[in-house]
Amino acid sequence: EESLQIKLKIFGDNHPDVAASLHNVGIVLDMSGKHLEALSKFEEALRIRTSSLGPGHQETQRTQHSIGIVRNNLGRGGEE
């Protein structure tokens, strides 16, 4: 989270580095069982990556994959 805040101040909210930090925070949240919070971070990362890198970029697709994993996790019981 701290790294994310620093990158937001330096790059603004539409930079691929910000998306990378959001994606990483999403992974930690998902692994911690905070699936809804993770989904929110991944969705924001996807918005940034789609607009800055394009929908076919591997990092954009990686975030789409992570969203699928979180949605699957939500289907198994959601937030704990």
Side-chain angles (χ1 to χ4, degrees):
E1 281 284 339
E2 187 176 336
S3 172
L4 173 59
Q5 295 308 315
I6 291 168
K7 287 181 181 180
L8 280 166
K9 286 181 183 178
I10 293 170
F11 299 119
D13 60 359
N14 270 327
H15 194 277
D17 285 354
V18 172
S21 289
L22 284 163
H23 185 97
N24 291 336
V25 170
I27 290 170
V28 172
L29 289 168
D30 188 48
M31 291 174 61
S32 300
K34 298 177 180 179
H35 307 304
L36 289 175
E37 290 178 55
L39 184 59
S40 175
K41 299 295 184 190
F42 286 134
E43 288 174 340
E44 183 63 13
L46 180 62
R47 182 193 65 76
I48 295 168
R49 284 181 164 170
T50 300
S51 68
S52 64
L53 301 173
H57 192 279
Q58 81 178 48
E59 293 301 320
T60 304
Q61 293 174 355
R62 185 171 150 234
T63 299
Q64 290 172 324
H65 177 74
S66 294
I67 288 171
I69 291 170
V70 171
R71 288 183 177 155
N72 186 50
N73 290 340
L74 282 166
R76 286 192 228 148
E79 295 281 87
E80 295 180 9

